[in-house]
Amino acid sequence: MGTRNPVTWLGSPAFPEAARTALADTQLRRNLRNATTTIRGRRAAAVAELPDWERLRRAGEAIKDRVLAELDTHLERLEAAVTARGGVVHWARDAAEANEIVLRLVGDEREVVKVKSMATAEIGLNEALAAGGVRAVETDLAELIVQLGDDRPSHILVPAIHRNRAEIREIFRRSGLAATGDAPRELAEAARAHLREKFLSCKVAISGANFAVADTGSVVVLESEGNGRMCLTLPEKLITVMGIEKLVPTWQDLEVFLQLLPRSSTAERMNPYTSVWTGVTPGDGPAEFHLVLLDNGRTATLADPTGRQALRCIRCSACLNVCPVYERTGGKSYGSVYPGPIGAILTPQLVDDPHDAQAASLPYASSLCGACFEVCPVRIDIPEVLTHLRARVVSARGRTAESVAMAAAAWVFGDPARYERAQRLGSLARFLGRDGRISRLPGPGAVWTASRDAPVPPRESFREWWRRNRG
Amino acid sequence: MADARSEVLARVRAALRDRPTPPEVPRDYERTGDASLALLAERVAHYRAAVHEVGPDELVPLLARLLAGKRIAVPADLPWQVPGVTWLVDSPPLPVAALDGADGVLTGCAAAIAPTGTIVLDGGVGQGRRALTLLPDHHVCVVREDQVAGSVPQALARLDPSRPLTFISGPSATSDIELDRVEGVHGPRRLEVVLVRAT
Ligand code: SF4
């Protein structure tokens, strides 16, 4: 690829180094631990309510595999359906091209409202708009917190999961949003007041999409706060940026995903609001609708028969919440808008450059415990892809100091006893060296760093341990 | 250089050189379920929305009680005549400021899903355009018993995807701060669902 893919953040250190820093931050770890423990419990309850959960997962997996196997056909059908209903479809090979298209479509407006979208975060759209003199106002509460705090998101679904209420109130105060207190209700009220006027006055909105139906051209957005509805309904022009893999073939297929996604992500029977629109409807909503179809590394991912299953992902974030490595290091250590287990397999494939040390380190950010596969609503075998990508890195680059450091991180995370021991001895950080070098590893690790290649982690035992301790 | 469209499609075709077989989709998941008003009422209430259940003759008196003396936005084709309410009829379309300032909005719906506590609007009779049910702070939505589906698949089968659809499950909410659920962010802070028995 010509230009750098902004899916990883410029200047982010490779995972072992970033994890070293994150592990030293006890507030962060406490916030994360509380959050992931809570979400895990709620999700388990929401899923247990459906006796056909496993059947829905298998259907979801098959529908997405169908889409991928015939992606060109489905894309052409979607384009035809959207166009027939008065929408305009644009194609973007990479982030720069997508950003250019959006900036051009924004026209003379200086401010646009945005609803949270992984695709636009992936392409660095806000930064590109700012460079073009356009201010993108994030309207999701969590995204607003991240934006006002000049921060990075740390979770797909709850980007400000690493912030507690006192920190949020302080961020608001510094940006001139007056909250009457630090109760979530008071903070939400401050955000409502701040954004109301923007919704009512903005002429252009930018969104992502959770799904698009190839057959009918319908685009689907799931959300909670109503900011999505505001953006999708009030402005004159709507620009939706969507990865080319977000399709489902038919309207009927949505019956599977409208059950899988809310329970997997927010652990609700249904999220508060789901909007579906098809092209333009005169007298109801934006008069202009643009759909930007984004490649940005997706076709490269599709080309790998093992790795392509990552494109089934519906961004529910269930895999983050069950991941022991994510829980300890937080989302920002992954240096990408896609953190956690899905980030560890998706980001390096989207970057598609084995010489990008940071992206190449991500497949090592895992203990291969398999919890992510068990919760994934579309049954992505994340451990399988991780192992596959590790092999790919080694075959492309050979064993370098960095790859040894990455493998060491994986080795420490790969076994609870090693992890606990490393923690007891001060902090895990000590064993994950600076500058991608290993200073020392405890016990057998020292031998291993000298002589062994990719370690085989005790997959079963870790999983059992994790279950017993976290359930 | 080829245009972006041809190039992306060419890349897709090249990526699928190994010709993966599109799998059959197993559709052995549940298609039907409990479509009772009782279940719908329980599931809607779980989202901390208010729920009322009435017989057909009790609907108008109930609405009159709920909306007495208020300024209520309504679509032009609302099928109920309720006394004692100041109506803001969305024809010609009300400016956003008027919607924003209304005490509430009254609509019907296109369908409901009992097990998930969801109501669906499709812009059809008695529902109006999407902004109508978004800006007022209080949404009163009437659901007839025959509109209730017992499962997500049944509901989708009844809906026309070419219409603008809004699935509503409780009032607007956020759990973005310490995962504490707060009702009422940008959408209506109060949702009141009126279930009308067939007889
Ligand atoms: S990989 Fe699976 S579990 Fe993880 S975010 Fe994607 S769909 Fe959800």
Side-chain angles (χ1 to χ4, degrees), chain A residues 244-309:
Chain A
I244 52 172
E245 83 287 16
K246 292 271 135 200
L247 297 179
V248 297
T250 67
W251 174 245
Q252 193 200 349
D253 294 325
L254 271 184
E255 70 191 20
V256 174
F257 295 102
L258 288 186
Q259 299 190 73
L260 288 175
L261 183 49
R263 287 179 200 259
S264 296
S265 61
T266 49
E268 291 164 301
R269 294 187 176 111
M270 200 65 101
N271 50 296
Y273 299 132
T274 296
S275 296
V276 181
W277 72 97
T278 306
V280 169
T281 304
D284 189 346
E288 245 186 81
F289 170 52
H290 297 269
L291 181 62
V292 181
L293 298 174
L294 175 73
D295 180 348
N296 201 39
R298 285 164 177 75
T299 48
T301 308
L302 185 67
D304 183 329
T306 305
R308 67 166 61 120
Q309 57 183 309

Side-chain angles (χ1 to χ4, degrees), chain B residues 66-131:
Chain B
L66 294 177
L67 306 174
K70 297 193 169 143
R71 299 168 63 252
I72 300 296
V74 281
D77 56 356
L78 193 79
W80 312 286
Q81 304 285 331
V82 185
V85 183
T86 307
W87 301 114
L88 309 173
V89 181
D90 193 35
S91 168
L94 295 163
V96 286
L99 287 176
D100 198 30
D103 293 324
V105 54
L106 170 65
T107 68
C109 71
I113 312 170
T116 61
T118 304
I119 53 180
V120 190
L121 307 189
D122 74 352
V125 176
Q127 298 162 61
R129 63 194 169 114
R130 287 171 289 171

Side-chain angles (χ1 to χ4, degrees), chain A residues 156 313-319 342 372 375-378 380 382:
Chain A
I156 293 177
C313 176
I314 56 174
R315 313 276 189 267
C316 72
S317 70
C319 58
I342 181 59
C372 46
V375 297
C376 178
V378 286
I380 300 171
I382 295 176

